Amino acid sequence: MKRFLSLILCSMILCGCQQSLELNYVLSISSIPDIMSEGEELKVIVTSHSPWFISVDEPGQEWCSVEPSSGDEGRYDVSIVFKPNENKESREAVIRISTEDETKKYVVVQKPKALISAQMQEYNVIPEGDQLAVRVSTNVDLLVRCPEWISHVVSEKDDEGVLLSFEVSANKTFADRTGEIELLPEGYDKSHANIMVSQKSLVRKALNAFYDEAGGDQWICNTNWCTDEDPSKWFGLDFVGNKLVQILLPSNNLTGDFSECLRHLRPILEDVEIIELQHNNLYGELTEDLGICKRLGTLWMNNNQLSGELPAAITKVLFKIILSENKLTGDISSLKFLETLDILSLSGNCFYGNLPDVPTNASCYDLADNEFSGTVPASHSKMMDPHEYGIYGTKYGADYDISNNNLSGDLPAEFTSHPHWHVHWFNVLPQKTGYGFSRTDIPAHRNPVKCYDGTLLYLGEEYSRNKYTLLFRWGPYCPGSLMVISDVETLYNKYKDQGLGLVCMTHVKYNEDEMKLIDDVFPEVHKFWETSPGQGYVDPDDPHDNNPYGLNCYAYLFRTGVTPYFYVVNSE
């Protein structure tokens, strides 16, 4: 390396009786910088009006030389050459610039050879991220440069060198990654040691473990799983960037302990919004790991084998909780769900205790077929109010089902006097054997229905014409229906003159041949179907709606799908 500096030695004769010599050095000590350990060549310019010489004191003569080292008056280019410093310590050379009358000296410092040795040059860090400690032996101060996913925390000096501490972040990308930590001697312009850090993809690790836990090789569809394809292309997953947001694997033969599945997914659950794993064979418990999902809007896992109690984290789900037909248990009466929750479906489990509060904006509250006891809170009557929001909301109320539990006592007046009680009673009154509510009047549907012969039958008027009206649901392919026709015929003929009316109905609309048997037995009796247009065999172009209360989950006017079935309605 060559560097050029300007050194001026001026000899001046002053006017007067006395002559004197003055050396004026423009070059100061600080003008000769520290010399790099690799050695270099400095170029200086010497200008003088008298003879001059340059010398190097011992032991600097061994590694520092000057050429030329002397001269007469005039301007000279002088080269100062420094050999490489192979020592571990810095060294000094004293350079003297002199005339006959005056000498000035300059101290030149040469840096030591930078010795940097890391205990290990390669490190593998777990995908979840970790702290990394690197032991380094060195004789110089260090500058540390890291990739953006590695942070240099602290450097601690001791007798053995320097202990460098790093923080390696979790690798939430799709790809494995390798980064280089550079160790540079402070004040040097070259890197003297590199440390390689490798880290596997956390996303792939978590998903591969989930696949194994849930029996992925036996799934109905496992396209691209555990391959080199981006996880965003793996069947049933949805990502935004590198963030997993949806797990959609319903009816896909997943089999395994769901608590372990969650544990494997835990590092990448934070941004998950939808989990749909319904109709699989997952067992085990729901755990607090669900709480990691800060944006979980839908937990849809009905028809699995889940057991245990609901974790507190379940109350943080934003929109849909669908866990029906599992083996879950526990007293959930104290759980407070979010106001944003639209669907709470826990039917077909083993929950007990009092019924929990209805979420403020729910359009579905299905807790049927459990072991709930006590009576029904009056506040639940709001589910019969018009719901102009939510998936299941209608002008006749929401989807509300608490049937087949151990409920008892008096129903609140807010229920029995509600104008939509006739729509909802079937999902409230039936309870398990030995339980049930105090006797209460059940209002019958009074809407007009379209009959097979094309006429309209106003049910309310039909009830008023008779002392009692027998509603007989029949199906042409139901053996039980065929068996009871003669009994219904006998009963009707016996009491029709005493005020018994008869109306026949079917779930869906059948054709003329299918209805022939019931037409032959009861030719004068009104017959209608219970479904709305577009359901069953109903002509989708028929504008009349025989089920105007059609909450999405109820296809039939009188709710139940059982045949044969009988309703007896009095004149009131």
Side-chain angles (χ1 to χ4, degrees), residues 202-423:
L202 179 58
V203 176
R204 290 181 180 273
K205 177 185 176 182
L207 292 174
N208 289 344
F210 169 79
Y211 178 88
D212 292 339
E213 189 68 45
D217 289 344
Q218 308 303 319
W219 292 358
I220 295 172
C221 182
N222 55 13
T223 303
N224 291 331
W225 275 79
C226 304
T227 68
D228 291 335
E229 288 282 359
D230 278 357
S232 60
K233 297 179 181 179
W234 295 10
F235 174 77
L237 301 180
D238 189 21
F239 286 83
V240 174
N242 292 325
K243 297 178 179 179
L244 177 64
V245 294
Q246 294 188 30
I247 304 172
L248 309 174
L249 295 167
S251 304
N252 201 40
N253 198 37
L254 275 68
T255 302
D257 187 335
F258 185 64
S259 63
E260 288 298 303
C261 292
L262 271 184
R263 183 178 63 82
H264 293 308
L265 292 175
R266 195 176 194 278
I268 59 173
L269 283 177
E270 183 176 0
D271 298 290
V272 170
E273 299 174 0
I274 297 176
I275 297 176
E276 292 190 7
L277 299 173
Q278 63 271 31
H279 293 278
N280 283 294
N281 300 306
L282 296 169
Y283 54 86
E285 298 185 1
L286 298 171
T287 66
E288 293 295 345
D289 283 338
L290 284 172
I292 297 170
C293 308
K294 303 301 183 183
R295 301 178 178 85
L296 186 58
T298 296
L299 179 63
W300 197 337
M301 295 190 65
N302 59 287
N303 293 87
N304 279 281
Q305 302 295 320
L306 300 176
S307 59
E309 299 187 0
L310 295 183
I314 200 77
T315 61
K316 303 303 180 184
V317 178
L318 294 171
F319 305 118
K320 303 176 188 176
I321 300 173
I322 306 175
L323 298 172
S324 53
E325 305 304 325
N326 279 285
K327 299 177 180 179
L328 297 164
T329 187
D331 184 347
I332 63 172
S333 59
S334 62
L335 293 184
K336 303 296 182 184
F337 297 94
L338 294 178
E339 292 185 358
T340 55
L341 192 67
D342 181 32
I343 298 176
L344 179 62
S345 179
L346 304 176
S347 61
N349 284 285
C350 302
F351 296 113
Y352 54 84
N354 293 327
L355 292 168
D357 291 339
V358 173
T360 303
N361 294 304
S363 70
C364 175
Y365 181 93
D366 183 4
L367 273 66
D369 298 296
N370 279 282
E371 303 295 331
F372 291 108
S373 57
T375 188
V376 183
S379 61
H380 283 208
S381 65
K382 67 182 180 182
M383 293 299 285
M384 294 186 283
D385 295 340
H387 276 55
E388 301 302 330
Y389 50 83
I391 294 177
Y392 292 107
T394 74
K395 63 182 179 179
Y396 296 103
D399 175 7
Y400 178 74
D401 194 345
I402 57 172
S403 62
N404 203 30
N405 278 286
N406 302 328
L407 300 169
S408 60
D410 294 331
L411 279 172
E414 288 84 351
F415 273 73
T416 57
S417 63
H418 198 285
H420 298 154
W421 176 230
H422 69 288
V423 179

Side-chain angles (χ1 to χ4, degrees), residues 97-164:
I97 305 175
S98 308
T99 64
E100 290 181 354
D101 300 311
E102 188 170 349
T103 297
K104 284 194 174 182
K105 71 176 182 178
Y106 296 87
V107 179
V108 179
V109 179
Q110 186 179 34
K111 297 177 181 179
K113 181 178 182 179
L115 302 175
I116 304 173
S117 176
Q119 192 174 33
M120 292 178 58
Q121 281 73 47
E122 295 183 4
Y123 291 85
N124 290 315
V125 179
I126 59 175
E128 292 81 0
D130 201 359
Q131 293 182 340
L132 179 64
V134 179
R135 170 68 65 180
V136 177
S137 298
T138 182
N139 64 328
V140 295
D141 292 333
L142 296 177
L143 291 177
V144 181
R145 294 177 182 169
C146 301
E148 62 180 8
W149 47 278
I150 302 177
S151 301
H152 177 210
V153 179
V154 68
S155 299
E156 298 178 350
K157 292 184 178 181
D158 56 27
D159 294 339
E160 299 180 11
V162 180
L163 183 63
L164 303 177

Side-chain angles (χ1 to χ4, degrees), residues 7 13 69 106 126 145 180 221 289 305 372 394 398 418 427 446 452 465 472 488 511 572:
L7 173 62
I13 300 176
S69 59
Y106 296 87
I126 59 175
R145 294 177 182 169
E180 186 177 72
C221 182
D289 283 338
Q305 302 295 320
F372 291 108
T394 74
H418 198 285
N427 294 324
R446 306 175 62 86
Y452 278 89
R465 280 194 290 267
F472 170 37
V488 174
N511 61 39
E572 299 176 1

